[in-house]
């Protein structure tokens, strides 16, 4: 009898304590924290100096400083906007509207102090990591309107675009919004970053029109050494971009890093082969552009696929993005100055859709959600692509029109001929 009584008391005590154990507060993980701090530095390096050097080398010498200035200023301005309201809109609690947008509860980083956690890392670190994504996305759009946009118009448009386009889509996919609830797979930004920036770039190129002399006047990169240096920094920084999106120092981060590297290498070689087949010679510009295409395309899949998927996605990126780039400029005559849409936009769509295929365990991925086949997941991925494209396309067009009316977007023909470095900044990139 005494034994039975003790057993009953033990069971009652267990049932009383179990809910408390299940509701235990999250604890900080030092390894995860150290990795995401490092990843944040790597992703910031992608914009400053990686993208800045890559884009600056691709334009003509008379516009090199303007591009560097645009990248640098966007990094500064987006940081302030993120603190004021951007982070809250993307990752705050929107209450009844949370499916669509975050609330204002975290405006000015309210409650984001040294003790606040996001999962197993400090929320300060999570917010900083996500800030680096918010910086590079509007900076990517620069490539579409390079060499012909006013500085004030560029800055106003970038800030409006961040808040009206980027933050809602980031919330849909990563902040608990409707696409995340639907089960869309976008590990590190195929929709949020690459399709978003790529489609915005296409709309910018169409609204602003061609550069003076395009396509009859040759406009080759003025400094390929700068381009390759920037590309190399992008490749290294991308490990923070993709592996950091695991938000932990674990096996998922390790696989994301591995497939990112495989995707970049395969994309480079696929582009090189396409270029050699079509033009007879491989180019340095081609191989680094193929690398960026491979990286952008593997990004949404990086936490979900294995090496086999990375090889297939990287190869597809090199071939498809090469074809899209040539079609855009040569066949359609669209002056997306630095090929943002055919590389990032097309790559983002391609990678997002192929994620739904190569996530399958039979193809080396982590496995499809329970009860869902490849066809079902492809349907979800397609909804994500269409929703992102519709929101970004329509709102980007509206914001461009508003910005043009308020601040002006395009410089005059004479100013464009003289060069933006002198006209807008009264400086020169080179005094030789």
């Amino acid at each position: 009898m005494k034994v039975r009584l003790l057993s009953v008391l033990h069971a009652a005590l267990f049932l009383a304590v179990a809910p408390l154990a299940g509701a235990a507060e999250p604890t900080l993980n030092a390894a995860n924290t150290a990795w995401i701090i490092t990843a944040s530095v790597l992703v910031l390096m992608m914009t400053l100096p990686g993208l800045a050097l890559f884009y600056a080398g691709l334009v003509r010498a008379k516009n090199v400083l303007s591009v560097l200035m645009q990248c640098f200023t966007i990094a500064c301005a987006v940081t302030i906007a993120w603190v004021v309201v951007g982070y809250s809109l993307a990752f705050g609690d929107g209450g009844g509207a949370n499916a669509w947008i975050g609330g204002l509860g975290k405006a000015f980083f309210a409650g984001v102090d040294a003790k606040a956690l996001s999962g197993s890392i400090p929320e300060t670190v999570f917010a900083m990591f996500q800030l680096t994504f918010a910086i590079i996305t509007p900076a990517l759009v620069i490539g579409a309107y390079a060499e012909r946009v006013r500085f004030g118009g560029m800055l106003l448009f970038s800030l409006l675009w961040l808040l009206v386009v980027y933050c809602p889509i980031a919330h849909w996919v990563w902040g608990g919004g409707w696409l995340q609830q639907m089960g869309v797979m976008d590990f590190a930004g195929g929709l949020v970053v690459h399709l978003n920036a790529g489609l915005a770039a296409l709309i910018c190129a169409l609204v602003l029109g061609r550069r003076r002399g395009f396509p009859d006047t040759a406009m080759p990169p003025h400094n390929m050494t700068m381009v390759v240096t920037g590309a190399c920094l992008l490749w290294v920084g991308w490990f923070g971009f993709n592996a950091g999106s695991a938000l932990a120092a674990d096996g998922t981060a390790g696989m994301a890093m591995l497939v990112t590297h495989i995707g970049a290498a395969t994309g480079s070689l696929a582009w090189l082969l396409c270029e050699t087949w079509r033009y007879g010679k491989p180019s340095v510009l081609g191989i680094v552009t193929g690398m960026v295409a491979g990286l952008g395309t593997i990004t949404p899949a990086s936490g979900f696929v294995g090496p086999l998927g990375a090889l297939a996605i990287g190869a597809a990126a090199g071939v498809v993005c090469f074809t899209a780039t040539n079609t855009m400029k040569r066949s359609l005559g669209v002056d997306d100055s630095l090929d943002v849409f055919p590389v990032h936009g097309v790559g983002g769509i391609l990678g997002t859709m192929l994620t739904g295929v190569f996530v399958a365990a039979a193809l080396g991925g982590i496995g499809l959600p329970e009860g869902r086949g490849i066809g079902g997941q492809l349907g979800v991925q397609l909804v994500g692509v269409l929703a992102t494209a519709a929101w970004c396309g329509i709102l980007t067009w509206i914001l461009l029109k508003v910005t043009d009316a308020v601040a002006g977007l395009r410089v005059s023909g004479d100013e464009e001929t003289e060069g933006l470095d002198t006209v807008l900044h009264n400086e020169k990139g080179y005094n030789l």
Side-chain angles (χ1 to χ4, degrees):
M1 184 72 179
K2 186 176 181 180
V3 173
R4 288 185 61 188
L5 179 61
L6 288 174
S7 298
V8 170
L9 291 174
H10 182 270
L13 181 62
F14 174 79
L15 292 173
V17 173
L20 297 177
E25 291 294 322
T27 57
L28 184 142
N29 183 291
N32 294 346
T33 301
W35 164 232
I36 305 306
I37 289 174
T38 304
S40 300
V41 174
L42 288 170
V43 182
L44 183 60
M45 187 184 75
M46 290 174 66
T47 305
L48 301 173
L51 187 70
L53 289 173
F54 185 69
Y55 275 180
L58 287 171
V59 299
R60 289 168 287 181
K62 61 185 179 181
N63 298 310
V64 58
L65 286 182
S66 71
V67 172
L68 293 171
M69 180 70 163
Q70 288 163 12
C71 287
F72 203 99
T73 307
I74 283 176
C76 298
V78 167
T79 297
I80 304 305
W82 192 248
V83 171
V84 174
V85 72
Y87 175 67
S88 190
L89 292 175
F91 294 99
D93 184 357
N98 195 60
W100 303 101
I101 192 69
L104 299 177
K106 292 184 182 294
F108 291 95
F109 276 25
V112 184
D113 55 32
K115 295 181 180 179
L117 294 181
S118 178
S120 64
I121 64 174
E123 190 172 6
T124 52
V125 175
F126 175 77
M128 179 64 198
F129 180 66
Q130 292 297 337
L131 169 58
T132 61
F133 282 65
I135 287 171
I136 198 170
T137 309
L140 286 171
V141 183
I142 288 171
Y145 50 63
E147 303 194 298
R148 60 194 186 277
V149 71
R150 293 189 178 280
F151 178 75
M154 176 281 306
L155 183 56
L156 176 60
F157 167 74
S158 297
L159 287 173
L160 291 174
W161 189 87
L162 171 82
L163 298 176
V164 176
V165 178
Y166 178 85
C167 288
I169 293 176
H171 182 78
W172 295 355
V173 178
W174 295 332
W178 68 281
L179 286 177
Q180 187 174 41
Q181 295 301 317
M182 183 182 289
V184 73
M185 292 181 171
D186 182 8
F187 191 74
L191 297 173
V192 180
V193 177
H194 296 288
L195 173 56
N196 206 8
L199 191 61
L202 176 60
I203 303 299
C204 286
L206 294 173
V207 170
L208 267 71
R210 301 173 176 181
R211 287 169 291 177
R212 198 173 191 181
F214 180 92
D216 300 320
T217 303
M219 301 178 184
H222 89 281
N223 190 328
M224 279 302 303
T225 304
M226 187 181 291
V227 171
V228 175
T229 301
C232 293
L233 289 167
L234 283 170
W235 190 338
V236 175
W238 223 289
F239 295 128
F241 200 81
N242 287 359
S245 291
L247 298 177
D250 60 9
T252 300
M255 182 59 79
M257 183 176 187
L258 175 61
V259 299
T260 296
H261 189 71
I262 294 170
T266 310
S268 290
L269 293 177
W271 190 295
L272 181 149
L273 292 173
C274 290
E275 194 172 52
T276 304
W277 172 76
R278 182 159 183 176
Y279 301 114
K281 293 181 181 179
S283 72
V284 175
L285 178 58
I287 197 169
V288 298
T289 306
M291 175 213 73
V292 175
L295 288 169
T297 307
I298 194 63
T299 287
S302 54
F304 304 121
V305 305
L308 176 64
L311 286 169
I313 291 171
V319 174
V320 174
C321 294
F322 172 83
T323 304
T325 299
N326 282 274
T327 301
M328 281 276 293
K329 274 189 160 60
R330 298 175 186 273
S331 301
L332 301 179
V334 177
D335 188 15
D336 178 351
S337 307
L338 308 182
D339 302 319
V340 185
F341 177 73
V343 173
H344 294 277
V346 172
I349 295 171
L350 181 64
T352 299
M353 296 307 297
L354 290 179
T355 299
V357 176
F358 288 98
V359 67
L363 297 174
I366 65 169
L368 289 152
E370 186 176 353
R372 183 178 291 165
I374 290 177
Q377 189 61 44
L378 283 174
V380 173
Q381 299 299 96
L382 181 60
V383 170
V385 167
L386 294 177
T388 301
W391 183 266
C392 175
I394 295 169
L395 272 296
T396 297
W397 185 85
I398 293 172
L399 293 177
L400 286 168
K401 294 298 182 181
V402 170
T403 302
D404 193 32
V406 173
L409 274 173
R410 182 155 184 171
V411 298
S412 69
D414 291 340
E415 290 173 327
E416 186 180 331
T417 299
E418 185 176 351
L420 302 190
D421 291 358
T422 302
V423 169
L424 298 181
H425 307 296
N426 198 32
E427 294 174 298
K428 291 184 179 181
Y430 306 98
N431 292 292
L432 302 176

